[in-house]
């Protein structure tokens, strides 16, 4: 019975690990934290349930063991008058019977045995996970090699951007400052007076531009937001929140530029300004696997 339970537990752990791996592969920047929390919760629930099942089964086994232990009831006390030699004999509990009962009720150290089993199961799971990792393709290396081939074919040179929550905004700032520096400040100041705008580092300017454009054109963006507008633009302007398609669209419209996002598959996602006065086309590289935080943007300059 116990071996069957351990076998089922190991199968459940393998299935959960496969589910977690699949969930993490399909996660995006915006969903990664929620998926990580969900995976932790699933792991904790499985662990608690399996420990409860083990505890319940072991408790049942102990109850059965105690049921089989013979008990020695004291002999009834004789009602004969004091002085009868038979009374002394009936009131005494034979020594050997007590010794046998104590030996039978002594419990083995089940806690140590349980801990040893769990440690062995964990080592087995770690070994299996390491084996699975060896069989997986090196997605990071494949992505780098594919990108380098695309850069050569398109006459582009990559400029590395620091891997943090500002990478999208820093990559756009690099494109603007190396090609048309005056445009960096022209867009946020257009039609505005008396505003207070950060001038450095450069990514703070592009964050400010993005937040201001979304706030000024709320009707275009509200259908795609999952939180109040003020909270959303506050995160863009004042925090290290990652940016995505909506933020690139706001930047393209605010600066009147087209933004091309190159991926390792060769796909180029083109985000257009939507006007006939487009000033230039900017190029970014987009990585899924190459950086510690997952998704990442770099700036692409023409050779």
């Amino acid at each position: 019975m116990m071996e069957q339970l351990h076998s089922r537990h190991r199968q459940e752990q393998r299935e959960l690990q496969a589910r977690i791996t699949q969930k993490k592969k399909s996660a995006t920047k915006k969903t990664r934290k929620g998926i990580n929390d969900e995976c932790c919760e699933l792991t904790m629930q499985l662990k608690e349930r399996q420990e409860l099942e083990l505890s319940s089964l072991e408790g049942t086994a102990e109850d059965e063991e105690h049921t089989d232990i013979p008990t020695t009831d004291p002999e009834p006390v004789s009602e004969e008058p004091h002085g009868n030699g038979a009374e002394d004999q009936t009131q005494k509990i034979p020594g050997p019977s007590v010794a046998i009962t104590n030996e039978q009720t002594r419990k083995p150290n089940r806690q140590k045995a349980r801990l040893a089993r769990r440690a062995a199961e964990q080592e087995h799971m770690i070994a299996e996970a390491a084996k699975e990792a060896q069989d997986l393709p090196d997605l990071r290396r494949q992505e780098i090699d594919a990108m380098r081939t695309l850069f050569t074919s398109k006459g582009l040179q990559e400029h590395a951007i620091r891997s943090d929550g500002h990478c999208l905004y820093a990559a756009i700032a690099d494109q603007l400052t190396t090609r048309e520096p005056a445009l960096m400040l022209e867009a946020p100041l257009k039609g505005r007076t008396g505003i207070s705008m950060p001038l450095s580092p450069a990514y703070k300017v592009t964050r400010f531009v993005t937040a201001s454009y979304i706030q000024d054109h709320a009707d275009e963006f509200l259908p795609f937001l999952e939180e109040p507008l003020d909270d959303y633009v506050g995160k863009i302007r004042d925090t290290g929140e990652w940016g995505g398609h909506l933020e690139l669209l706001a930047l393209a419209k605010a600066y009147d530029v087209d933004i091309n996002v190159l991926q390792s598959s060769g796909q180029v996602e083109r985000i257009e300004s939507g006007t006939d006065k487009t000033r230039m086309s900017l190029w970014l590289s987009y990585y899924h696997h190459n950086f510690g935080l997952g998704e990442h943007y770099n700036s692409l300059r023409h050779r």
Side-chain angles (χ1 to χ4, degrees), residues 219-279:
D219 292 343
E220 298 178 25
F221 295 91
L222 278 174
F224 306 101
L225 302 186
E226 298 179 354
E227 58 185 306
L229 177 66
D230 289 342
D231 293 345
Y232 190 81
V233 298
K235 288 179 180 178
I236 295 173
R237 184 178 55 245
D238 303 322
T239 75
E241 185 81 4
W242 291 340
H245 183 83
L246 285 181
E247 290 72 33
L248 286 171
L249 180 61
L251 285 162
K253 291 179 174 293
Y255 283 111
D256 292 330
V257 297
D258 292 338
I259 301 175
N260 302 287
V261 182
L262 178 64
Q263 302 185 44
S264 61
S265 63
Q267 176 185 349
V268 178
E269 182 179 3
R270 187 175 179 83
I271 299 151
E272 299 181 344
S273 65
T275 71
D276 55 0
K277 298 179 181 179
T278 301
R279 300 181 180 226

Side-chain angles (χ1 to χ4, degrees), residues 143-156:
E143 187 172 48
I144 292 173
D145 293 342
M147 281 293 201
R148 287 176 178 173
T149 301
L150 290 169
F151 298 157
T152 301
S153 66
K154 295 181 180 297
L156 298 169

